[in-house]
Amino acid sequence: NDLTAGINTIDNLEKIYNEIKNINTNCEVIISECTIRKDRKGMEKKISDLNTNIRKFYQEKNIYSIKHDIIGDQHLARKKIHLNAKGKNILELNFKDFVSKK
């Protein structure tokens, strides 16, 4: 989750996906794309690049994803890293909306 630590998120997603499928091949996997953060310079580009790679991953694996494009700057808390109450509400609604359509 920490884009500043140099963690390879896609490799980790691959491991998690494979572990889930090894346990239950019928299990449906859903990936949530990252929301914005603006606590450090360059984070917008890192998140955009990560979400692009996440999209490629879920398209290759033919799995579901949840986008959070509607979450914007006004939904960030004071430190600009975590979501404020309204942002959390939208995040929750995105998940509920996805599940209700499933």
Side-chain angles (χ1 to χ4, degrees):
N1 188 30
D2 190 348
L3 291 174
T4 62
I7 295 169
N8 189 324
T9 303
I10 302 304
D11 284 349
N12 287 336
L13 284 175
E14 181 82 38
K15 289 174 188 174
I16 292 166
Y17 174 82
N18 289 334
E19 185 68 25
I20 291 168
K21 288 302 192 176
N22 284 336
I23 293 169
N24 183 347
T25 57
N26 295 321
C27 184
E28 292 182 315
V29 177
I30 303 165
I31 294 178
S32 171
E33 291 186 7
C34 291
T35 60
I36 66 165
R37 61 184 265 193
K38 297 200 173 184
D39 59 315
R40 296 182 185 179
K41 187 175 179 161
M43 291 310 294
E44 290 177 85
K45 171 114 173 72
K46 285 185 176 188
I47 289 172
S48 176
D49 291 348
L50 177 58
N51 281 338
T52 297
N53 289 329
I54 288 172
R55 287 182 194 117
K56 288 178 188 175
F57 177 79
Y58 70 68
Q59 288 169 351
E60 287 173 9
K61 300 293 183 186
N62 197 31
I63 58 180
Y64 300 102
S65 70
I66 301 173
K67 294 183 181 187
H68 306 291
D69 297 337
I70 195 168
I71 296 174
D73 295 4
Q74 70 276 22
H75 302 114
L76 291 173
R78 187 173 42 92
K79 293 185 179 181
K80 306 278 185 212
I81 187 169
H82 299 291
L83 299 176
N84 61 24
K86 186 166 182 153
K88 290 176 189 176
N89 189 350
I90 293 170
L91 183 75
E92 178 184 344
L93 289 173
N94 287 346
F95 283 105
K96 285 181 177 179
D97 184 53
F98 178 87
V99 171
S100 71
K101 291 179 181 177
K102 191 71 185 104

